[in-house]
Amino acid sequence: MNKNAPKTVEEYLAAVPEPARATLEKMRAVIRSVVPPETTEAISYGMPIFKYLGGLVAIAAFKDHCSFFPMSAGLIAEHKDELKSYQTAKGTIRFPVDKPMPAALVKKFVKARIAQNEARKKRR
């Protein structure tokens, strides 16, 4: 385990160079604006994750892009038309280090993940 790995989201963001830091901070603010108050933030797999009834979404900065992880490959496939201008993989949506994803799109994904986690909890 890397001794210098960030332990908090603040430590993670402090280590991210601009313009990616400002981009992730904007994404974080958008995510926080729609999650339930009991949502927690943590570092998991070395990146900031939001947790509500399990993992919700995560964000991260890389050398040449930032990523949004909706933690649901199905959601990415479901919204592929809206994501045409982004590079996507099974679990990630990549976007430029200096241009956060549109707030409305991020909110749509976060709300969908909240609904998925709540539905999963009810089935248990």
Side-chain angles (χ1 to χ4, degrees):
M1 171 100 184
N2 180 351
K3 283 193 210 66
N4 300 325
K7 291 172 184 57
T8 66
V9 175
E10 285 72 21
E11 280 180 23
Y12 179 93
L13 291 171
V16 173
E18 291 295 357
R21 180 185 313 151
T23 298
L24 288 186
E25 285 173 346
K26 284 180 187 138
M27 293 280 292
R28 183 184 187 199
V30 170
I31 294 164
R32 288 170 110 174
S33 76
V34 291
V35 294
E38 59 271 31
T39 301
T40 59
E41 291 179 81
I43 297 292
S44 181
Y45 296 99
M47 61 190 170
I49 181 173
F50 292 79
K51 294 181 175 187
Y52 170 72
L53 304 175
L56 203 54
V57 296
I59 53 176
F62 298 93
K63 198 174 117 205
D64 55 359
H65 69 277
C66 289
S67 285
F68 176 65
F69 300 89
M71 302 175 116
S72 167
L75 269 184
I76 292 175
E78 213 175 286
H79 294 89
K80 67 180 184 295
D81 291 344
E82 291 168 272
L83 298 171
K84 275 196 292 255
S85 57
Y86 298 97
Q87 192 181 1
T88 59
K90 193 166 80 180
T92 182
I93 302 163
R94 294 183 187 97
F95 54 96
V97 291
D98 60 348
K99 191 169 184 273
M101 288 172 55
L105 190 57
V106 174
K107 288 177 181 181
K108 184 186 282 188
F109 272 95
V110 174
K111 287 175 181 173
R113 289 291 298 129
I114 290 166
Q116 285 179 345
N117 282 7
E118 286 175 345
R120 191 181 66 237
K121 186 177 194 299
K122 281 188 184 122
R123 285 196 301 270
R124 285 191 180 150

